[in-house]
Amino acid sequence: MTQSTKVLDGGWGWAIVVASFMAQLLAYGSPQSVGVLYPEWLHAFQEGKGMTAWVGSLVAGVGLIASPVCSACVDNFGARPVTIFSGVMVAGGLMLSAFAPNVQFLIFSYGIVVGLGCGLVYAATLTITCQYFDKRRGLALGIVTTGTSVGAFIYATAQNELIVLYGLDGCLLIIGAVALNLMGCAGFMRPLNMPGYYLKQKAALERNTEEQLFEKPPLDDLKISTGTTSEKTLMVKEMLITIDAKDIQTEKKKGSFMTGAAIMKIIKKKQHAYSKYMRSMHEILQDQAMVAFCIAVFLFSLGAFPPVLFIEDVAQSQGLIEEVSVIPLVSIGAIATCVGKLVLGVLVDIRWINGIYLYAFTMFAGGASLLLIPITKTYLGLQILSVSLGFFSGNWSLTSYITTKIVGLDRLTQAHGILMFFGGFGIMLGPPVVGWFFDFTQSYDLAFYFSGTCVLIGACILTLLTLPCWNRKHTENDRPDVEYTSNCDKVASVA
């Protein structure tokens, strides 16, 4: 990356930021405002609320759970090809949903296909942005990630109008066609570094071009730790690349290339790399604060995501449809989330504010808002609660900061991957559970009491298990000295 240092933090990087912002807006606009489509699907297919809710929960959760796969695609093929392919997936899934004969088909076309496409966009945009920015990386990522909230704000209103003018099928066809502009965004994503350098290293080995083989990264810097904490911790793929390059080159010099002994030696070292990675994952899950944070993120996702899907149906079920304003509740919540991401991101930078307790506070406030939804009988009250829930849902911008604070930068990729799995699992379960509560009770009251209680329990667990009185290793409340690297694998996994 040294040859690319001169283009960091400016120049074409700002074109990358604009293209990535638009890519997230186009990809996440409909999934983030799926609450507008949910009542229409209920009316069209006459299925239970629990079954129909799987569509919205999958489109939000699949991308998070599949983030390791999305990261691998970006690393091997680059941000531009992945964004082009994701444009086909998102647009195709939306258009295919227009012809859905039942909810089960929608679960596949909208929930899985569009969800995976969104996950690919998210990984690609964050990776290419981090390649082009170093000192201003936080600002660039902040601008890019607000694209999801701005997209939700715009699409919620747009989809309402399109449904009135062209019906549900026409709406899905039009927004699917608009999503094809993702390919145009991909055109701006000029690669700063060629992807898939592992394959290039293998090709260079076959051509005996050693000067290309070890150009990125240098072998001297890629040492597998023998157990001391002072040595650099590597991702499994980096270790495997190093093992392949070192051992194959050594065996070639010895004249025993591709012999059985050489292959067994390489396999054993690869097994050592994988076992080391698994031990590192196990050590992360032994950290009490990390476990508490995973539980908190799961419970917050389980309870706080359903309003995004159900809030419009709540207003209709309470007979408030006559009072609905031009701006839907989903749009109000989306713009509040955008503001929350920026404000909470600024607050966590203040030295005397503890990021973990700030996250716990947002959970307490969000849980209280959820408990107030069943007793709110006016549309204005639902608007206020949508603002409150949206703002405190912006705490997703704190997750990478808190994870780094708990486990350190070396283990950020693994720890954040675990965290996102818990978050995605909660998002997938939340809406169906709330829908099932409604199907059994014919009311949202018990469902939102359940959701609010889950969020409050998560806040209590996070607060109690991270108190200073526990005998555990933890960093001070000062902001960690995060030394950002140019490792795209870390960025994509964090995404």
Side-chain angles (χ1 to χ4, degrees):
M1 292 280 294
T2 55
Q3 70 274 18
S4 305
T5 304
K6 60 182 180 181
V7 298
L8 291 176
D9 295 308
W12 190 254
W14 294 114
I16 297 293
V17 168
V18 174
S20 298
F21 173 88
M22 289 302 302
Q24 291 204 11
L25 186 152
L26 292 168
Y28 279 91
S30 181
Q32 288 289 316
S33 58
V34 70
V36 173
L37 302 175
Y38 178 73
E40 301 296 328
W41 285 331
L42 284 174
H43 178 72
F45 299 114
Q46 299 296 315
E47 288 279 359
K49 294 181 185 290
M51 174 62 73
T52 310
W54 275 109
V55 181
S57 63
L58 282 173
V59 76
V62 163
L64 288 176
I65 292 179
S67 59
V69 177
C70 298
S71 302
C73 291
V74 175
D75 182 65
N76 282 281
F77 304 108
R80 179 182 286 172
V82 168
T83 304
I84 292 174
F85 181 72
S86 66
V88 176
M89 287 192 69
V90 174
L94 289 169
M95 292 180 181
L96 200 59
S97 300
F99 303 97
N102 49 50
V103 172
Q104 288 76 16
F105 189 89
L106 269 178
I107 289 175
F108 168 74
S109 62
Y110 196 97
I112 297 177
V113 176
V114 177
L116 285 175
C118 290
L120 289 170
V121 170
Y122 202 75
T125 52
L126 282 156
T127 299
I128 192 72
T129 301
C130 285
Q131 286 180 346
Y132 271 85
F133 285 87
D134 185 16
K135 294 180 181 178
R136 298 178 181 176
R137 185 173 295 165
L139 173 62
L141 288 175
I143 295 172
V144 170
T145 53
T146 55
T148 59
S149 300
V150 175
F153 176 77
I154 295 174
Y155 269 67
T157 304
Q159 288 182 151
N160 258 345
E161 295 300 320
L162 289 173
I163 289 172
V164 172
L165 293 174
Y166 304 105
L168 178 61
D169 297 345
C171 170
L172 290 170
L173 287 172
I174 291 172
I175 61 175
V178 172
L180 288 171
N181 287 287
L182 279 164
M183 298 182 184
C185 297
F188 291 90
M189 298 180 182
R190 185 173 63 199
L192 186 62
N193 297 283
M194 295 303 295
Y197 70 88
Y198 172 68
L199 297 178
K200 294 183 181 297
Q201 283 186 335
K202 300 290 287 184
L205 274 171
E206 295 174 0
R207 295 193 304 267
N208 293 319
T209 55
E210 294 183 14
E211 64 278 4
Q212 296 179 14
L213 175 62
F214 304 119
E215 180 180 346
K216 182 175 69 174
L219 284 178
D220 291 338
D221 293 334
L222 293 175
K223 295 180 180 178
I224 302 175
S225 174
T226 57
T228 60
T229 57
S230 60
E231 293 183 347
K232 181 184 285 187
T233 303
L234 297 176
M235 295 298 296
V236 165
K237 193 182 73 170
E238 292 172 331
M239 290 194 281
L240 296 179
I241 292 171
T242 305
I243 290 168
D244 276 350
K246 275 185 173 181
D247 291 335
I248 294 175
Q249 192 68 15
T250 300
E251 297 300 329
K252 287 181 72 174
K253 289 180 179 179
K254 292 179 179 180
S256 57
F257 183 61
M258 292 306 290
T259 63
I263 294 174
M264 289 304 299
K265 183 178 179 181
I266 294 172
I267 291 175
K268 286 181 180 179
K269 289 195 175 184
K270 285 186 176 182
Q271 289 177 342
H272 173 73
Y274 280 116
S275 63
K276 179 177 176 58
Y277 181 78
M278 295 306 297
R279 285 197 303 270
S280 179
M281 297 279 282
H282 182 262
E283 290 172 2
I284 289 172
L285 292 175
Q286 294 299 307
D287 190 302
Q288 180 172 298
M290 188 64 201
V291 173
F293 194 36
C294 288
I295 295 173
V297 168
F298 169 75
L299 291 175
F300 184 81
S301 302
L302 180 67
F305 179 73
V308 176
L309 185 62
F310 289 101
I311 194 67
E312 294 292 339
D313 194 49
V314 170
Q316 294 182 21
S317 65
Q318 293 182 358
L320 303 177
I321 189 64
E322 296 82 4
E323 304 176 38
V324 174
S325 63
V326 176
I327 302 178
L329 294 172
V330 176
S331 292
I332 294 173
I335 203 66
T337 302
C338 183
V339 174
K341 288 178 180 178
L342 296 175
V343 173
L344 294 173
V346 171
L347 288 177
V348 81
D349 281 335
I350 300 175
R351 295 175 66 86
W352 53 269
I353 291 182
N354 186 300
I356 295 177
Y357 296 144
L358 177 62
Y359 191 92
F361 171 76
T362 62
M363 291 187 67
F364 277 115
S369 300
L370 284 167
L371 293 177
L372 291 175
I373 289 179
I375 62 176
T376 302
K377 303 302 179 183
T378 65
Y379 195 77
L380 177 61
L382 290 178
Q383 287 177 319
I384 295 173
L385 291 178
S386 295
V387 171
S388 175
L389 276 171
F391 180 86
F392 293 113
S393 294
N395 60 11
W396 276 96
S397 63
L398 305 178
T399 53
S400 59
Y401 178 92
I402 296 173
T403 306
T404 306
K405 189 178 183 67
I406 294 174
V407 302
L409 183 62
D410 288 340
R411 296 180 177 179
L412 174 60
T413 302
Q414 297 157 270
H416 208 279
I418 296 171
L419 194 69
M420 288 300 99
F421 175 82
F422 278 92
F425 193 55
I427 287 174
M428 286 179 59
L429 287 181
V433 169
V434 170
W436 290 329
F437 270 113
F438 184 91
D439 291 337
F440 283 116
T441 64
Q442 295 302 307
S443 172
Y444 280 112
D445 293 355
L446 187 60
F448 281 103
Y449 286 137
F450 169 79
S451 298
T453 302
C454 285
V455 175
L456 290 177
I457 291 174
C460 292
I461 291 174
L462 181 62
T463 303
L464 293 176
L465 294 184
T466 56
L467 289 174
C469 59
W470 293 99
N471 294 324
R472 62 177 177 83
K473 293 182 180 180
H474 61 86
T475 57
E476 296 180 357
N477 289 339
D478 295 336
R479 182 182 179 182
D481 295 324
V482 179
E483 184 177 340
Y484 292 105
T485 66
S486 299
N487 191 326
C488 301
D489 293 333
K490 289 187 176 183
V491 176
S493 295
V494 167

